[in-house]
Amino acid sequence: MRTQVGIVGAGPAGLLLAHLLEREGIESVVLEDRSRRYVEERVRAGLLEQGTADVLERSGVGERMRREGLVHHGIELRFDGASHRIAITDLTGRSIMIYGQQEVVKDLIAARLACGGPILFEVSDVALEGLDARSPAISATQAGTRIRIECDYIAGCDGTHGVCRGFIPGGVLTHFEREYPFAWLGILAKAPPVSHELIYSRHQRGFALYTMRSPSLTRAYLQCKPDEDLAAWSDRRIWDELHVRLQGGAKRLEEGEIVLRGVTPMRSYVCEPMQYGRLFLAGDAAHIVPPTGAKGLNLAVHDICVLAQALVAAYRGERSLLERYSERCLRRVWRAEHFSWWMTSMLHRFDGDDPFQERLQLAQLEYVTGSRAAATSMAENYAGLPYEEHGR
Ligand code: APR
Ligand code: PHB
């Protein structure tokens, strides 16, 4: 088999790349180790920066998002028993959108299949070769048969646990990493959200986030231990803990049946550079942020916009954008790494924190909610800084 761009991973990054290339007349093959059903049902974060929603809209996959997505103009920060609003749209002119990542994935798969573009699901043992040659190749096992796809370029969009990064020779990449001593216990519940906007709450017992998926589905997260035993969390215990940690609002949370629960680890990670020869890493394959600022999906979409534009230019004979791919992505990646780390540090309880540390967190929260300049800085990061002009 031969294609122009071989794409490993059918998450938002890989699928969006295939979609944007298709619109420019560039062929690709997507290889995914899970089933279609699995990737479409995997519940992840669900907050799109306006820039992300615009990319989906402009590229023709925004129709359902426009109908079903919930546009938000602010968020609440709770601490010390009181609630404070960050007026994102008033401060920045931009809004955010709640639309589940798996809905984005469903829309992109539908678009891909509608145009007849190949996605090979349930492949295993993906291997890359010839990354520094003119024609690299991907091999994989599909239904018991070994296949080999020759390409011009390979996009490693295979997420945190992907294999593509591992085919870059030793010594090329530098890894930057930070682990956090906690995780998030996330739930999805059949309960109407009582707050119109997301609530980020700092509490003595740990951080809590109240968010939603639709007018009848609440999503919420509780700071927990990295090795938290889910069996120890009955529905009753989860709701009690949410009531306590989210106190400070006018309305009591609506409870409902918890239909999904899971533990999300918290990690910051970046590899530099994000490219080697003809392999380009994008999204979670190259960087991870803790979910506090909801930047993971948004960064993946930005990487892909930069990569798609650079590939289009390369096929027109101009390779300099491809050579600068990593450098152009990493500026935004590091801004988001800082913002996610900053929000995480301001809102979570760290074991061993002394009263001095607590006072620092509260002083920071009071500043962010009390100063227009500080609130604007937070709001522009949260809503997502405008994309840089990529023509330069
Ligand atoms: N071979 C083929 N596919 C693979 C392999 C492999 N060896 N390893 C992983 N994959 C697939 C995964 O099953 C997944 O579908 O690659 C895809 C990677 O998708 P994501 O993990 O969703 O990563 P990405 O597309 O970069 O999107 C970033 O995802 O992790 C969230 O919160 C994060 O929102 C962010 C977004
Ligand atoms: C979500 O809706 O799942 C969500 C929202 C904001 C975050 C993280 C997750 O910071």
Side-chain angles (χ1 to χ4, degrees):
M1 222 193 286
R2 205 195 134 73
T3 190
Q4 290 178 291
V5 182
I7 301 174
V8 185
L15 291 166
L16 181 63
L17 181 61
H19 175 66
L20 296 181
L21 293 178
E22 164 75 31
R23 287 171 57 86
E24 298 287 342
I26 298 171
E27 267 178 29
S28 64
V29 174
V30 181
L31 294 98
E32 164 63 49
D33 68 353
R34 303 287 192 155
S35 66
R36 176 177 177 188
R37 183 160 177 198
Y38 182 92
V39 298
E40 288 191 341
E41 290 182 1
R42 185 168 42 190
V43 175
R44 295 268 189 73
L47 192 138
L48 312 186
E49 295 174 356
Q50 185 167 327
T52 300
D54 289 348
V55 167
L56 298 174
E57 186 73 61
R58 275 200 310 269
S59 69
V61 284
E63 197 265 328
R64 195 163 65 93
M65 174 186 75
R66 206 179 322 124
R67 269 189 290 121
E68 296 178 15
L70 306 171
V71 177
H72 285 197
H73 300 292
I75 55 169
E76 272 187 48
L77 291 182
R78 276 190 191 167
F79 56 96
D80 250 0
S83 210
H84 308 259
R85 180 166 191 262
I86 304 286
I88 307 264
T89 305
D90 291 348
L91 293 167
T92 65
R94 294 198 296 280
S95 57
I96 46 180
M97 164 91 81
I98 285 285
Y99 189 62
Q101 179 172 315
Q102 81 272 28
E103 306 306 326
V104 175
V105 164
K106 280 181 205 159
D107 296 344
L108 287 168
I109 290 178
R112 177 84 180 153
L113 297 179
C115 69
I119 312 181
L120 311 181
F121 287 103
E122 298 181 75
V123 302
S124 58
D125 302 317
V126 165
L128 311 184
E129 58 188 273
L131 295 180
D132 45 12
R134 271 187 80 81
S135 186
I138 307 177
S139 44
T141 303
Q142 189 191 28
T145 307
R146 200 72 189 151
I147 54 169
R148 188 167 180 281
I149 306 171
E150 283 179 15
C151 339
D152 299 327
Y153 303 100
I154 298 176
C157 304
D158 50 352
T160 334
H161 305 293
V163 294
C164 290
R165 205 173 54 218
F167 287 94
I168 297 177
V172 171
L173 300 180
T174 307
H175 307 271
F176 301 85
E177 195 163 10
R178 181 142 303 179
E179 298 271 348
Y180 300 88
F182 39 73
W184 281 9
L185 191 170
I187 62 146
L188 190 66
K190 286 187 183 161
V194 284
S195 164
H196 182 65
E197 295 180 340
L198 271 61
I199 306 167
Y200 289 81
S201 183
R202 178 200 176 277
H203 192 274
Q204 290 289 13
R205 294 174 63 87
F207 169 75
L209 169 61
Y210 188 77
T211 167
M212 63 210 68
R213 282 294 175 274
S214 74
S216 57
L217 276 179
T218 293
R219 179 122 173 102
Y221 301 91
L222 289 164
Q223 177 183 349
C224 64
K225 296 200 294 288
D227 57 349
E228 193 72 43
D229 176 14
L230 276 178
W233 287 86
S234 63
D235 285 19
R236 186 67 268 137
R237 181 173 172 208
I238 290 175
W239 285 114
D240 286 348
E241 198 62 31
L242 284 169
H243 287 300
V244 171
R245 293 196 199 177
L246 287 162
Q247 73 200 10
K251 289 193 203 151
R252 193 178 154 77
L253 308 186
E254 285 262 2
E255 296 184 9
E257 186 195 347
I258 296 179
V259 289
L260 195 89
R261 65 186 73 203
V263 173
T264 309
M266 308 273 280
R267 197 161 78 96
S268 297
Y269 169 79
V270 181
C271 82
E272 289 190 10
M274 293 166 53
Q275 65 195 86
Y276 172 76
R278 290 186 169 238
L279 170 66
F280 299 86
L281 303 173
D284 277 17
H287 41 74
I288 303 293
V289 284
T292 323
K295 291 291 168 223
L297 170 61
N298 295 295
L299 277 183
V301 167
H302 178 262
D303 288 352
I304 293 305
C305 288
V306 175
L307 182 55
Q309 194 196 29
L311 287 168
V312 169
Y315 278 110
R316 293 190 183 136
E318 169 54 58
R319 280 192 49 93
S320 71
L321 286 184
L322 259 191
E323 279 152 21
R324 286 169 39 225
Y325 163 71
S326 177
E327 173 202 321
R328 290 163 71 207
C329 291
L330 283 168
R331 269 204 296 276
R332 192 178 187 87
V333 167
W334 277 111
R335 177 87 296 280
E337 288 289 343
H338 180 272
F339 181 66
S340 309
W341 163 84
W342 174 80
M343 265 190 89
T344 304
S345 310
M346 176 170 73
L347 288 162
H348 288 75
R349 233 197 99 82
F350 289 71
D351 278 346
D353 269 2
D354 59 6
F356 186 88
Q357 191 59 32
E358 276 180 31
R359 290 290 191 280
L360 291 183
Q361 280 186 330
L362 290 171
Q364 185 62 22
L365 281 161
E366 270 167 23
Y367 179 52
V368 164
T369 52
S371 147
R372 188 177 172 90
T376 306
S377 167
M378 173 169 184
E380 73 169 352
N381 277 281
Y382 193 85
L385 290 151
Y387 282 15
E388 282 180 26
E389 273 303 317
H390 295 314
R392 282 181 289 149

